[in-house]
Amino acid sequence: MICSSCSVQGPIEDKGVISLRPASAELVSLLRQDGFTPICDPDACRVSYCSRAELLQLLQSVRRSALADKTEVYVNIEGSSKQSDRWVWASLPQMEARFKHNDVVDIIVGKRFTSHMQPIVSAAEEVIGFEFLLRPSQIQYPFNPFELFEIAREAGLHSFLDRAARISAIELSAQYLPHGLKRFINFLPSSIYNPKYCLTHTFAAIERLLLNPADFVFEVVETEQIHNMTNLLDIFTEYRRNGISVALDDVGSGYSTLEEMTRLKPDYVKIDRGLVNGCSQDRRKQQEILNIIERARDFGGQVLAEGIEEREDFEFCCTYGASLAQGYLFGRPMPQPPQKLMPSSA
């Protein structure tokens, strides 16, 4: 298996060499017909290019070949500066997506993002921690976080982005938060194909910054249905083995069901904002929230109500068993936590 997301290339240059694999006879023949001069060996076929236009034309030729013989082609582009000796292969659709969304890919590769922090409070309205939410680090490079991850997935960069965002949040937490405050950080389970390997950078960052693993809560944020429950359980096990808690986000929405919650048994259960909003006046929502709280109580999970904007909703959730809450009622996401929200000992 060719791993296209373990590392990432720098910006694609206007002059360099494109490598293609597998180097089928059909591909080589078509490249020659289109005026290119491929140099091939058993591992790959390499073609030099002298401009971005020529590179795009070359990729169009490769696309025609892939469609003709139904072969999955992998691509590596090495600029003339040779910034890295490690080759990074991407599938042809992934490489095409990188050209199509060049501006967004530059944001990902350049790590032009940071995190804003939103407070999480106890039932007594004491700040116990913050959730770290991905945001642009520079106004000239705006993005929507959901769209950023969708394009990253299309371009084969979502593992790189997910890991970089996690480490960025860890570093920011070390800058602003004292020991003892929880740091809720999102992760995509689909980006962690091997927990023991993929999470080593995360654990190393926590150790490097002399932070306490017990202060961290990594929460599943996934916009698609969880297809590999076994892998997600392995991810949870690896986090917990390193002293870190785990959370399941958006419980009660389309993809985070009671059945998944019961099987995963997360340390924290975050009730979807769609259920919480207006729950004080909606009996159907109240019953669903009560079902979640009751099921979480069976395995000892703490329940956090998300999206709290009205005090009545907060009071309902706390009265019936939610121990934590988050929402605009207590504070919006900010680049750094306001001092007035910090514990007096901070």
Side-chain angles (χ1 to χ4, degrees):
M1 177 180 177
I2 298 173
C3 180
S4 63
S5 53
C6 298
S7 184
V8 65
Q9 290 171 308
I12 296 172
E13 299 178 33
D14 291 335
K15 182 179 181 180
V17 176
I18 181 170
S19 299
L20 309 162
R21 60 193 298 185
S24 66
E26 292 82 359
L27 173 60
V28 174
S29 176
L30 184 57
L31 289 173
R32 286 174 176 160
Q33 289 177 26
D34 289 347
F36 297 104
T37 306
I39 300 174
C40 301
D41 58 35
D43 292 328
C45 176
R46 298 174 181 84
V47 184
S48 297
Y49 66 92
C50 296
S51 67
R52 181 169 289 258
E54 189 174 15
L55 177 55
L56 290 173
Q57 181 186 353
L58 209 165
L59 287 175
Q60 290 175 0
S61 297
V62 177
R63 165 59 63 189
R64 286 169 53 210
S65 172
L67 291 174
D69 59 16
K70 298 181 180 179
T71 300
E72 188 171 18
V73 179
Y74 288 87
V75 181
N76 172 75
I77 298 177
E78 183 181 11
S80 58
S81 63
K82 297 183 179 179
Q83 296 175 347
S84 173
D85 293 331
R86 181 176 183 179
W87 281 20
V88 182
W89 292 90
S91 70
L92 179 59
Q94 289 172 345
M95 191 59 72
E96 290 176 327
R98 296 182 190 188
F99 274 93
K100 178 181 178 182
H101 303 290
N102 182 62
D103 292 346
V104 177
V105 169
D106 282 349
I107 291 173
I108 296 170
V109 174
K111 299 181 183 179
R112 297 188 175 103
F113 48 77
T114 183
S115 292
H116 285 192
M117 290 165 268
Q118 185 173 29
I120 294 171
V121 304
S122 68
E125 297 189 52
E126 297 175 342
V127 175
I128 63 92
F130 291 83
E131 180 179 359
F132 288 72
L133 302 164
L134 197 67
R135 295 292 186 269
S137 60
Q138 299 164 290
I139 59 174
Q140 64 267 41
Y141 298 107
F143 62 78
N144 174 287
F146 174 79
E147 292 177 354
L148 188 73
F149 272 100
E150 286 302 299
I151 291 173
R153 192 189 305 277
E154 185 181 343
L157 298 172
H158 72 298
S159 289
F160 171 84
L161 174 59
D162 189 46
R163 185 181 73 188
R166 287 199 307 271
I167 293 176
S168 173
I170 292 168
E171 292 173 343
L172 196 69
S173 80
Q175 182 178 353
Y176 289 112
L177 301 187
H179 291 289
L181 282 183
K182 296 294 184 183
R183 303 127 201 264
F184 284 70
I185 299 174
N186 300 324
F187 76 93
L188 293 170
S190 59
S191 75
I192 303 173
Y193 60 91
N194 181 339
K196 287 187 180 297
Y197 169 73
C198 294
L199 294 176
T200 55
H201 302 85
T202 298
F203 303 143
I206 293 172
E207 183 177 1
R208 168 172 55 86
L209 295 165
L210 304 178
L211 300 174
N212 185 356
D215 287 342
F216 287 87
V217 181
F218 282 89
E219 60 181 82
V220 180
V221 168
E222 188 62 278
T223 55
E224 61 187 26
Q225 190 172 4
I226 298 171
H227 295 289
N228 193 339
M229 182 66 73
T230 300
N231 184 60
L232 184 51
L233 285 166
D234 289 342
I235 294 170
F236 274 24
T237 297
E238 190 65 17
Y239 274 128
R240 285 167 165 159
R241 191 175 69 83
N242 284 271
I244 294 170
S245 298
V246 291
L248 184 61
D249 198 16
D250 300 330
V251 175
S253 68
Y255 293 132
S256 296
T257 65
L258 283 176
E259 289 71 23
E260 287 179 338
M261 180 189 78
T262 302
R263 184 172 176 186
L264 290 167
K265 296 179 173 58
D267 303 297
Y268 295 86
V269 173
K270 302 186 75 174
I271 303 178
D272 182 68
R273 66 184 64 249
L275 274 182
V276 172
N277 185 28
C279 66
S280 65
Q281 303 297 320
D282 189 318
R283 290 189 177 182
R284 179 192 63 81
K285 289 183 176 183
Q286 291 175 4
Q287 187 57 56
E288 290 190 49
I289 289 172
L290 292 175
N291 290 342
I292 292 170
I293 292 173
E294 181 179 355
R295 192 76 66 91
R297 187 180 290 123
D298 291 340
F299 58 80
Q302 291 192 63
V303 176
L304 188 158
E306 287 192 287
I308 297 284
E309 297 185 15
E310 302 295 334
R311 181 156 297 279
E312 293 79 6
D313 295 337
F314 172 60
E315 291 173 351
F316 171 83
C317 291
C318 290
T319 297
Y320 289 95
S323 57
L324 302 172
Q326 177 181 356
Y328 287 174
L329 182 64
F330 314 107
R332 294 175 178 267
M334 300 290 289
Q336 62 185 74
Q339 195 60 39
K340 66 179 180 179
L341 293 180
M342 300 294 283
S344 56
S345 59

